[in-house]
Amino acid sequence: LTGASGFVGSAVARVLRTVGFPVRALVRSSSPTAHLAELGLEFVHGDLRDPAGARETAGDLLKGIRR
Protein backbone atom coordinates (compact mmCIF):
# COMPACT_ATOMS: atom_id res chain seq x y z
CA LEU A 1 0.00 0.00 0.00
CA THR A 2 1.51 3.30 -1.02
CA GLY A 3 0.69 6.39 0.99
CA ALA A 4 -0.16 4.47 4.15
CA SER A 5 1.13 7.21 6.43
CA GLY A 6 -1.22 9.79 4.92
CA PHE A 7 -4.85 10.57 5.74
CA VAL A 8 -6.52 8.38 3.11
CA GLY A 9 -3.84 5.68 3.06
CA SER A 10 -3.95 5.19 6.82
CA ALA A 11 -7.74 4.79 6.65
CA VAL A 12 -7.36 2.18 3.89
CA ALA A 13 -4.68 0.35 5.90
CA ARG A 14 -6.93 0.32 8.96
CA VAL A 15 -9.87 -1.15 7.02
CA LEU A 16 -7.68 -3.79 5.35
CA ARG A 17 -6.26 -4.88 8.71
CA THR A 18 -9.70 -4.86 10.34
CA VAL A 19 -11.00 -7.35 7.79
CA GLY A 20 -7.88 -9.50 8.17
CA PHE A 21 -5.61 -8.67 5.25
CA PRO A 22 -1.87 -8.42 5.83
CA VAL A 23 -0.61 -5.00 4.74
CA ARG A 24 2.84 -4.11 3.47
CA ALA A 25 3.11 -0.34 3.45
CA LEU A 26 5.51 1.81 1.48
CA VAL A 27 6.55 4.84 3.52
CA ARG A 28 9.28 7.40 3.11
CA SER A 29 11.86 7.31 5.89
CA SER A 30 10.77 10.83 6.85
CA SER A 31 7.08 9.87 7.12
CA PRO A 32 5.43 9.60 10.54
CA THR A 33 4.30 6.06 11.33
CA ALA A 34 3.58 6.13 15.07
CA HIS A 35 -0.16 6.44 14.38
CA LEU A 36 0.03 3.12 12.48
CA ALA A 37 1.97 1.14 15.09
CA GLU A 38 -1.03 -0.70 16.55
CA LEU A 39 -2.14 -1.97 13.13
CA GLY A 40 0.70 -4.46 12.71
CA LEU A 41 1.73 -3.26 9.26
CA GLU A 42 4.91 -4.37 7.56
CA PHE A 43 6.79 -1.20 6.59
CA VAL A 44 9.01 -0.89 3.53
CA HIS A 45 10.95 2.36 3.47
CA GLY A 46 11.45 3.98 0.11
CA ASP A 47 10.48 6.79 -2.19
CA LEU A 48 9.07 6.11 -5.65
CA ARG A 49 10.29 9.55 -6.72
CA ASP A 50 13.86 8.23 -6.47
CA PRO A 51 14.50 6.32 -9.73
CA ALA A 52 17.64 4.61 -8.39
CA GLY A 53 15.89 3.22 -5.32
CA ALA A 54 12.49 2.54 -6.88
CA ARG A 55 13.53 -0.77 -8.47
CA GLU A 56 14.89 -2.12 -5.17
CA THR A 57 11.88 -0.80 -3.27
CA ALA A 58 9.48 -2.43 -5.73
CA GLY A 59 11.22 -5.77 -5.17
CA ASP A 60 10.76 -5.44 -1.41
CA LEU A 61 7.12 -4.47 -1.81
CA LEU A 62 6.28 -7.39 -4.08
CA LYS A 63 8.21 -10.06 -2.17
CA GLY A 64 5.98 -13.07 -1.55
CA ILE A 65 3.09 -11.88 -3.70
CA ARG A 66 1.75 -14.43 -6.15
CA ARG A 67 -0.71 -13.89 -8.97
Side-chain angles (χ1 to χ4, degrees), residues 29-64:
S29 57
S30 60
S31 295
T33 57
H35 63 292
L36 302 170
E38 77 277 0
L39 297 180
L41 305 181
E42 177 185 347
F43 293 110
V44 174
H45 291 91
D47 189 337
L48 294 179
R49 298 175 299 174
D50 172 19
R55 185 177 305 270
E56 181 179 333
T57 299
D60 291 340
L61 282 171
L62 299 174
K63 191 182 319 175

PDB file of all heavy atoms in Angstrom, residues 29-64:
ATOM      1  N   SER A  29      11.203   7.374   4.580  1.00  0.00           N
ATOM      2  CA  SER A  29      11.865   7.312   5.888  1.00  0.00           C
ATOM      3  C   SER A  29      11.531   8.532   6.739  1.00  0.00           C
ATOM      4  O   SER A  29      11.586   8.466   7.966  1.00  0.00           O
ATOM      5  CB  SER A  29      13.376   7.169   5.730  1.00  0.00           C
ATOM      6  OG  SER A  29      13.888   8.229   4.953  1.00  0.00           O
ATOM      7  N   SER A  30      11.127   9.618   6.105  1.00  0.00           N
ATOM      8  CA  SER A  30      10.773  10.829   6.850  1.00  0.00           C
ATOM      9  C   SER A  30       9.293  10.868   7.247  1.00  0.00           C
ATOM     10  O   SER A  30       8.857  11.792   7.930  1.00  0.00           O
ATOM     11  CB  SER A  30      11.088  12.066   6.001  1.00  0.00           C
ATOM     12  OG  SER A  30      10.339  12.039   4.798  1.00  0.00           O
ATOM     13  N   SER A  31       8.512   9.869   6.837  1.00  0.00           N
ATOM     14  CA  SER A  31       7.076   9.866   7.124  1.00  0.00           C
ATOM     15  C   SER A  31       6.788   9.414   8.545  1.00  0.00           C
ATOM     16  O   SER A  31       7.411   8.476   9.039  1.00  0.00           O
ATOM     17  CB  SER A  31       6.343   8.926   6.165  1.00  0.00           C
ATOM     18  OG  SER A  31       6.431   9.386   4.844  1.00  0.00           O
ATOM     19  N   PRO A  32       5.818  10.055   9.196  1.00  0.00           N
ATOM     20  CA  PRO A  32       5.427   9.604  10.536  1.00  0.00           C
ATOM     21  C   PRO A  32       4.668   8.280  10.451  1.00  0.00           C
ATOM     22  O   PRO A  32       3.836   8.098   9.560  1.00  0.00           O
ATOM     23  CB  PRO A  32       4.513  10.725  11.029  1.00  0.00           C
ATOM     24  CG  PRO A  32       3.970  11.344   9.786  1.00  0.00           C
ATOM     25  CD  PRO A  32       5.030  11.197   8.744  1.00  0.00           C
ATOM     26  N   THR A  33       4.986   7.360  11.345  1.00  0.00           N
ATOM     27  CA  THR A  33       4.302   6.057  11.326  1.00  0.00           C
ATOM     28  C   THR A  33       3.781   5.650  12.699  1.00  0.00           C
ATOM     29  O   THR A  33       3.175   4.589  12.829  1.00  0.00           O
ATOM     30  CB  THR A  33       5.242   4.949  10.796  1.00  0.00           C
ATOM     31  OG1 THR A  33       6.415   4.907  11.612  1.00  0.00           O
ATOM     32  CG2 THR A  33       5.617   5.181   9.336  1.00  0.00           C
ATOM     33  N   ALA A  34       3.997   6.491  13.715  1.00  0.00           N
ATOM     34  CA  ALA A  34       3.577   6.134  15.075  1.00  0.00           C
ATOM     35  C   ALA A  34       2.076   5.868  15.136  1.00  0.00           C
ATOM     36  O   ALA A  34       1.630   4.978  15.868  1.00  0.00           O
ATOM     37  CB  ALA A  34       3.961   7.230  16.056  1.00  0.00           C
ATOM     38  N   HIS A  35       1.288   6.609  14.356  1.00  0.00           N
ATOM     39  CA  HIS A  35      -0.163   6.438  14.378  1.00  0.00           C
ATOM     40  C   HIS A  35      -0.611   5.124  13.733  1.00  0.00           C
ATOM     41  O   HIS A  35      -1.770   4.752  13.819  1.00  0.00           O
ATOM     42  CB  HIS A  35      -0.845   7.632  13.693  1.00  0.00           C
ATOM     43  CG  HIS A  35      -0.522   7.788  12.237  1.00  0.00           C
ATOM     44  ND1 HIS A  35       0.732   8.132  11.778  1.00  0.00           N
ATOM     45  CD2 HIS A  35      -1.294   7.632  11.155  1.00  0.00           C
ATOM     46  CE1 HIS A  35       0.709   8.182  10.464  1.00  0.00           C
ATOM     47  NE2 HIS A  35      -0.507   7.889  10.058  1.00  0.00           N
ATOM     48  N   LEU A  36       0.338   4.405  13.127  1.00  0.00           N
ATOM     49  CA  LEU A  36       0.027   3.124  12.484  1.00  0.00           C
ATOM     50  C   LEU A  36       0.557   1.931  13.275  1.00  0.00           C
ATOM     51  O   LEU A  36       0.321   0.788  12.901  1.00  0.00           O
ATOM     52  CB  LEU A  36       0.631   3.087  11.077  1.00  0.00           C
ATOM     53  CG  LEU A  36       0.194   4.194  10.130  1.00  0.00           C
ATOM     54  CD1 LEU A  36       1.041   4.183   8.875  1.00  0.00           C
ATOM     55  CD2 LEU A  36      -1.273   4.052   9.793  1.00  0.00           C
ATOM     56  N   ALA A  37       1.260   2.200  14.354  1.00  0.00           N
ATOM     57  CA  ALA A  37       1.965   1.144  15.093  1.00  0.00           C
ATOM     58  C   ALA A  37       1.048   0.017  15.546  1.00  0.00           C
ATOM     59  O   ALA A  37       1.421  -1.157  15.472  1.00  0.00           O
ATOM     60  CB  ALA A  37       2.699   1.746  16.287  1.00  0.00           C
ATOM     61  N   GLU A  38      -0.145   0.340  16.015  1.00  0.00           N
ATOM     62  CA  GLU A  38      -1.034  -0.697  16.553  1.00  0.00           C
ATOM     63  C   GLU A  38      -1.668  -1.566  15.471  1.00  0.00           C
ATOM     64  O   GLU A  38      -2.296  -2.570  15.784  1.00  0.00           O
ATOM     65  CB  GLU A  38      -2.130  -0.072  17.428  1.00  0.00           C
ATOM     66  CG  GLU A  38      -3.261   0.588  16.669  1.00  0.00           C
ATOM     67  CD  GLU A  38      -2.974   2.015  16.212  1.00  0.00           C
ATOM     68  OE1 GLU A  38      -1.888   2.537  16.468  1.00  0.00           O
ATOM     69  OE2 GLU A  38      -3.872   2.602  15.584  1.00  0.00           O
ATOM     70  N   LEU A  39      -1.494  -1.204  14.201  1.00  0.00           N
ATOM     71  CA  LEU A  39      -2.137  -1.966  13.127  1.00  0.00           C
ATOM     72  C   LEU A  39      -1.360  -3.214  12.721  1.00  0.00           C
ATOM     73  O   LEU A  39      -1.901  -4.086  12.058  1.00  0.00           O
ATOM     74  CB  LEU A  39      -2.346  -1.078  11.894  1.00  0.00           C
ATOM     75  CG  LEU A  39      -3.277   0.105  12.080  1.00  0.00           C
ATOM     76  CD1 LEU A  39      -3.383   0.889  10.772  1.00  0.00           C
ATOM     77  CD2 LEU A  39      -4.646  -0.348  12.541  1.00  0.00           C
ATOM     78  N   GLY A  40      -0.095  -3.291  13.079  1.00  0.00           N
ATOM     79  CA  GLY A  40       0.700  -4.456  12.709  1.00  0.00           C
ATOM     80  C   GLY A  40       1.057  -4.494  11.235  1.00  0.00           C
ATOM     81  O   GLY A  40       1.070  -5.559  10.621  1.00  0.00           O
ATOM     82  N   LEU A  41       1.342  -3.330  10.670  1.00  0.00           N
ATOM     83  CA  LEU A  41       1.733  -3.257   9.263  1.00  0.00           C
ATOM     84  C   LEU A  41       3.191  -3.658   9.101  1.00  0.00           C
ATOM     85  O   LEU A  41       3.997  -3.492  10.008  1.00  0.00           O
ATOM     86  CB  LEU A  41       1.566  -1.832   8.734  1.00  0.00           C
ATOM     87  CG  LEU A  41       0.216  -1.163   8.884  1.00  0.00           C
ATOM     88  CD1 LEU A  41       0.254   0.233   8.277  1.00  0.00           C
ATOM     89  CD2 LEU A  41      -0.882  -1.985   8.266  1.00  0.00           C
ATOM     90  N   GLU A  42       3.510  -4.159   7.926  1.00  0.00           N
ATOM     91  CA  GLU A  42       4.910  -4.373   7.565  1.00  0.00           C
ATOM     92  C   GLU A  42       5.336  -3.143   6.777  1.00  0.00           C
ATOM     93  O   GLU A  42       4.739  -2.826   5.754  1.00  0.00           O
ATOM     94  CB  GLU A  42       5.070  -5.621   6.707  1.00  0.00           C
ATOM     95  CG  GLU A  42       6.490  -5.851   6.251  1.00  0.00           C
ATOM     96  CD  GLU A  42       6.630  -7.015   5.301  1.00  0.00           C
ATOM     97  OE1 GLU A  42       5.688  -7.812   5.169  1.00  0.00           O
ATOM     98  OE2 GLU A  42       7.695  -7.109   4.667  1.00  0.00           O
ATOM     99  N   PHE A  43       6.340  -2.418   7.254  1.00  0.00           N
ATOM    100  CA  PHE A  43       6.786  -1.204   6.587  1.00  0.00           C
ATOM    101  C   PHE A  43       7.954  -1.481   5.666  1.00  0.00           C
ATOM    102  O   PHE A  43       8.889  -2.184   6.028  1.00  0.00           O
ATOM    103  CB  PHE A  43       7.212  -0.142   7.612  1.00  0.00           C
ATOM    104  CG  PHE A  43       6.072   0.380   8.430  1.00  0.00           C
ATOM    105  CD1 PHE A  43       5.964   0.061   9.768  1.00  0.00           C
ATOM    106  CD2 PHE A  43       5.104   1.193   7.864  1.00  0.00           C
ATOM    107  CE1 PHE A  43       4.920   0.545  10.537  1.00  0.00           C
ATOM    108  CE2 PHE A  43       4.055   1.677   8.611  1.00  0.00           C
ATOM    109  CZ  PHE A  43       3.960   1.347   9.949  1.00  0.00           C
ATOM    110  N   VAL A  44       7.888  -0.910   4.470  1.00  0.00           N
ATOM    111  CA  VAL A  44       9.006  -0.886   3.528  1.00  0.00           C
ATOM    112  C   VAL A  44       9.321   0.584   3.324  1.00  0.00           C
ATOM    113  O   VAL A  44       8.435   1.371   2.962  1.00  0.00           O
ATOM    114  CB  VAL A  44       8.637  -1.557   2.187  1.00  0.00           C
ATOM    115  CG1 VAL A  44       9.757  -1.390   1.176  1.00  0.00           C
ATOM    116  CG2 VAL A  44       8.310  -3.024   2.391  1.00  0.00           C
ATOM    117  N   HIS A  45      10.558   0.959   3.606  1.00  0.00           N
ATOM    118  CA  HIS A  45      10.947   2.359   3.467  1.00  0.00           C
ATOM    119  C   HIS A  45      11.512   2.603   2.077  1.00  0.00           C
ATOM    120  O   HIS A  45      12.366   1.857   1.605  1.00  0.00           O
ATOM    121  CB  HIS A  45      11.977   2.738   4.534  1.00  0.00           C
ATOM    122  CG  HIS A  45      11.389   2.769   5.897  1.00  0.00           C
ATOM    123  ND1 HIS A  45      11.389   1.677   6.717  1.00  0.00           N
ATOM    124  CD2 HIS A  45      10.724   3.733   6.560  1.00  0.00           C
ATOM    125  CE1 HIS A  45      10.769   1.977   7.848  1.00  0.00           C
ATOM    126  NE2 HIS A  45      10.354   3.226   7.769  1.00  0.00           N
ATOM    127  N   GLY A  46      10.986   3.623   1.441  1.00  0.00           N
ATOM    128  CA  GLY A  46      11.450   3.984   0.113  1.00  0.00           C
ATOM    129  C   GLY A  46      10.693   5.180  -0.400  1.00  0.00           C
ATOM    130  O   GLY A  46       9.764   5.678   0.239  1.00  0.00           O
ATOM    131  N   ASP A  47      11.105   5.635  -1.569  1.00  0.00           N
ATOM    132  CA  ASP A  47      10.481   6.791  -2.193  1.00  0.00           C
ATOM    133  C   ASP A  47      10.419   6.525  -3.687  1.00  0.00           C
ATOM    134  O   ASP A  47      11.458   6.415  -4.346  1.00  0.00           O
ATOM    135  CB  ASP A  47      11.304   8.044  -1.893  1.00  0.00           C
ATOM    136  CG  ASP A  47      10.611   9.319  -2.309  1.00  0.00           C
ATOM    137  OD1 ASP A  47       9.731   9.267  -3.195  1.00  0.00           O
ATOM    138  OD2 ASP A  47      10.958  10.378  -1.765  1.00  0.00           O
ATOM    139  N   LEU A  48       9.230   6.408  -4.230  1.00  0.00           N
ATOM    140  CA  LEU A  48       9.074   6.113  -5.649  1.00  0.00           C
ATOM    141  C   LEU A  48       9.522   7.268  -6.541  1.00  0.00           C
ATOM    142  O   LEU A  48       9.679   7.092  -7.744  1.00  0.00           O
ATOM    143  CB  LEU A  48       7.623   5.738  -5.952  1.00  0.00           C
ATOM    144  CG  LEU A  48       7.147   4.440  -5.312  1.00  0.00           C
ATOM    145  CD1 LEU A  48       5.687   4.178  -5.666  1.00  0.00           C
ATOM    146  CD2 LEU A  48       8.008   3.270  -5.745  1.00  0.00           C
ATOM    147  N   ARG A  49       9.765   8.420  -5.954  1.00  0.00           N
ATOM    148  CA  ARG A  49      10.287   9.550  -6.723  1.00  0.00           C
ATOM    149  C   ARG A  49      11.783   9.421  -6.970  1.00  0.00           C
ATOM    150  O   ARG A  49      12.353  10.179  -7.754  1.00  0.00           O
ATOM    151  CB  ARG A  49      10.001  10.867  -6.008  1.00  0.00           C
ATOM    152  CG  ARG A  49       8.511  11.136  -5.838  1.00  0.00           C
ATOM    153  CD  ARG A  49       8.281  12.378  -5.026  1.00  0.00           C
ATOM    154  NE  ARG A  49       8.865  12.184  -3.684  1.00  0.00           N
ATOM    155  CZ  ARG A  49       8.944  13.117  -2.768  1.00  0.00           C
ATOM    156  NH1 ARG A  49       8.496  14.324  -3.004  1.00  0.00           N
ATOM    157  NH2 ARG A  49       9.459  12.859  -1.583  1.00  0.00           N
ATOM    158  N   ASP A  50      12.423   8.459  -6.316  1.00  0.00           N
ATOM    159  CA  ASP A  50      13.862   8.226  -6.468  1.00  0.00           C
ATOM    160  C   ASP A  50      14.059   7.072  -7.452  1.00  0.00           C
ATOM    161  O   ASP A  50      13.906   5.907  -7.081  1.00  0.00           O
ATOM    162  CB  ASP A  50      14.469   7.877  -5.106  1.00  0.00           C
ATOM    163  CG  ASP A  50      15.911   7.423  -5.200  1.00  0.00           C
ATOM    164  OD1 ASP A  50      16.576   7.697  -6.209  1.00  0.00           O
ATOM    165  OD2 ASP A  50      16.370   6.770  -4.245  1.00  0.00           O
ATOM    166  N   PRO A  51      14.388   7.376  -8.721  1.00  0.00           N
ATOM    167  CA  PRO A  51      14.501   6.318  -9.733  1.00  0.00           C
ATOM    168  C   PRO A  51      15.503   5.221  -9.371  1.00  0.00           C
ATOM    169  O   PRO A  51      15.279   4.052  -9.632  1.00  0.00           O
ATOM    170  CB  PRO A  51      14.952   7.055 -10.994  1.00  0.00           C
ATOM    171  CG  PRO A  51      14.618   8.477 -10.762  1.00  0.00           C
ATOM    172  CD  PRO A  51      14.668   8.690  -9.272  1.00  0.00           C
ATOM    173  N   ALA A  52      16.610   5.603  -8.739  1.00  0.00           N
ATOM    174  CA  ALA A  52      17.635   4.614  -8.394  1.00  0.00           C
ATOM    175  C   ALA A  52      17.131   3.624  -7.353  1.00  0.00           C
ATOM    176  O   ALA A  52      17.428   2.435  -7.416  1.00  0.00           O
ATOM    177  CB  ALA A  52      18.888   5.317  -7.891  1.00  0.00           C
ATOM    178  N   GLY A  53      16.367   4.099  -6.373  1.00  0.00           N
ATOM    179  CA  GLY A  53      15.889   3.222  -5.318  1.00  0.00           C
ATOM    180  C   GLY A  53      14.553   2.571  -5.606  1.00  0.00           C
ATOM    181  O   GLY A  53      14.169   1.611  -4.928  1.00  0.00           O
ATOM    182  N   ALA A  54      13.831   3.056  -6.606  1.00  0.00           N
ATOM    183  CA  ALA A  54      12.487   2.543  -6.882  1.00  0.00           C
ATOM    184  C   ALA A  54      12.493   1.066  -7.275  1.00  0.00           C
ATOM    185  O   ALA A  54      11.629   0.305  -6.852  1.00  0.00           O
ATOM    186  CB  ALA A  54      11.811   3.376  -7.962  1.00  0.00           C
ATOM    187  N   ARG A  55      13.466   0.641  -8.042  1.00  0.00           N
ATOM    188  CA  ARG A  55      13.530  -0.768  -8.466  1.00  0.00           C
ATOM    189  C   ARG A  55      13.732  -1.681  -7.263  1.00  0.00           C
ATOM    190  O   ARG A  55      13.051  -2.684  -7.106  1.00  0.00           O
ATOM    191  CB  ARG A  55      14.629  -0.974  -9.496  1.00  0.00           C
ATOM    192  CG  ARG A  55      14.679  -2.386 -10.062  1.00  0.00           C
ATOM    193  CD  ARG A  55      15.737  -2.520 -11.142  1.00  0.00           C
ATOM    194  NE  ARG A  55      15.584  -1.556 -12.211  1.00  0.00           N
ATOM    195  CZ  ARG A  55      14.866  -1.764 -13.300  1.00  0.00           C
ATOM    196  NH1 ARG A  55      14.251  -2.886 -13.469  1.00  0.00           N
ATOM    197  NH2 ARG A  55      14.776  -0.838 -14.234  1.00  0.00           N
ATOM    198  N   GLU A  56      14.637  -1.322  -6.380  1.00  0.00           N
ATOM    199  CA  GLU A  56      14.887  -2.117  -5.172  1.00  0.00           C
ATOM    200  C   GLU A  56      13.658  -2.101  -4.261  1.00  0.00           C
ATOM    201  O   GLU A  56      13.253  -3.120  -3.720  1.00  0.00           O
ATOM    202  CB  GLU A  56      16.096  -1.580  -4.425  1.00  0.00           C
ATOM    203  CG  GLU A  56      16.428  -2.372  -3.176  1.00  0.00           C
ATOM    204  CD  GLU A  56      17.664  -1.828  -2.477  1.00  0.00           C
ATOM    205  OE1 GLU A  56      18.518  -1.226  -3.133  1.00  0.00           O
ATOM    206  OE2 GLU A  56      17.735  -2.016  -1.258  1.00  0.00           O
ATOM    207  N   THR A  57      13.067  -0.934  -4.107  1.00  0.00           N
ATOM    208  CA  THR A  57      11.875  -0.798  -3.269  1.00  0.00           C
ATOM    209  C   THR A  57      10.740  -1.645  -3.808  1.00  0.00           C
ATOM    210  O   THR A  57      10.044  -2.326  -3.058  1.00  0.00           O
ATOM    211  CB  THR A  57      11.445   0.678  -3.189  1.00  0.00           C
ATOM    212  OG1 THR A  57      12.501   1.425  -2.597  1.00  0.00           O
ATOM    213  CG2 THR A  57      10.190   0.845  -2.377  1.00  0.00           C
ATOM    214  N   ALA A  58      10.549  -1.643  -5.121  1.00  0.00           N
ATOM    215  CA  ALA A  58       9.481  -2.432  -5.730  1.00  0.00           C
ATOM    216  C   ALA A  58       9.680  -3.911  -5.441  1.00  0.00           C
ATOM    217  O   ALA A  58       8.737  -4.639  -5.154  1.00  0.00           O
ATOM    218  CB  ALA A  58       9.427  -2.173  -7.229  1.00  0.00           C
ATOM    219  N   GLY A  59      10.927  -4.377  -5.485  1.00  0.00           N
ATOM    220  CA  GLY A  59      11.215  -5.769  -5.172  1.00  0.00           C
ATOM    221  C   GLY A  59      10.835  -6.117  -3.741  1.00  0.00           C
ATOM    222  O   GLY A  59      10.252  -7.172  -3.467  1.00  0.00           O
ATOM    223  N   ASP A  60      11.122  -5.215  -2.815  1.00  0.00           N
ATOM    224  CA  ASP A  60      10.763  -5.438  -1.413  1.00  0.00           C
ATOM    225  C   ASP A  60       9.253  -5.440  -1.225  1.00  0.00           C
ATOM    226  O   ASP A  60       8.706  -6.220  -0.451  1.00  0.00           O
ATOM    227  CB  ASP A  60      11.375  -4.366  -0.513  1.00  0.00           C
ATOM    228  CG  ASP A  60      12.893  -4.475  -0.402  1.00  0.00           C
ATOM    229  OD1 ASP A  60      13.431  -5.566  -0.690  1.00  0.00           O
ATOM    230  OD2 ASP A  60      13.517  -3.481  -0.024  1.00  0.00           O
ATOM    231  N   LEU A  61       8.584  -4.553  -1.939  1.00  0.00           N
ATOM    232  CA  LEU A  61       7.117  -4.474  -1.812  1.00  0.00           C
ATOM    233  C   LEU A  61       6.426  -5.722  -2.347  1.00  0.00           C
ATOM    234  O   LEU A  61       5.423  -6.158  -1.802  1.00  0.00           O
ATOM    235  CB  LEU A  61       6.575  -3.256  -2.569  1.00  0.00           C
ATOM    236  CG  LEU A  61       6.743  -1.918  -1.883  1.00  0.00           C
ATOM    237  CD1 LEU A  61       6.369  -0.805  -2.844  1.00  0.00           C
ATOM    238  CD2 LEU A  61       5.910  -1.854  -0.646  1.00  0.00           C
ATOM    239  N   LEU A  62       6.947  -6.270  -3.422  1.00  0.00           N
ATOM    240  CA  LEU A  62       6.279  -7.390  -4.083  1.00  0.00           C
ATOM    241  C   LEU A  62       6.736  -8.759  -3.586  1.00  0.00           C
ATOM    242  O   LEU A  62       6.200  -9.770  -4.032  1.00  0.00           O
ATOM    243  CB  LEU A  62       6.496  -7.279  -5.600  1.00  0.00           C
ATOM    244  CG  LEU A  62       5.939  -5.998  -6.232  1.00  0.00           C
ATOM    245  CD1 LEU A  62       6.326  -5.924  -7.701  1.00  0.00           C
ATOM    246  CD2 LEU A  62       4.444  -5.901  -6.042  1.00  0.00           C
ATOM    247  N   LYS A  63       7.680  -8.794  -2.683  1.00  0.00           N
ATOM    248  CA  LYS A  63       8.208 -10.060  -2.173  1.00  0.00           C
ATOM    249  C   LYS A  63       7.086 -10.915  -1.600  1.00  0.00           C
ATOM    250  O   LYS A  63       6.310 -10.464  -0.754  1.00  0.00           O
ATOM    251  CB  LYS A  63       9.251  -9.785  -1.097  1.00  0.00           C
ATOM    252  CG  LYS A  63      10.042 -10.992  -0.681  1.00  0.00           C
ATOM    253  CD  LYS A  63      11.022 -10.677   0.428  1.00  0.00           C
ATOM    254  CE  LYS A  63      11.707  -9.341   0.204  1.00  0.00           C
ATOM    255  NZ  LYS A  63      12.567  -8.934   1.304  1.00  0.00           N
ATOM    256  N   GLY A  64       6.977 -12.132  -2.083  1.00  0.00           N
ATOM    257  CA  GLY A  64       5.981 -13.070  -1.550  1.00  0.00           C
ATOM    258  C   GLY A  64       4.594 -12.970  -2.158  1.00  0.00           C
ATOM    259  O   GLY A  64       3.715 -13.724  -1.814  1.00  0.00           O
TER     260      GLY A  64
END
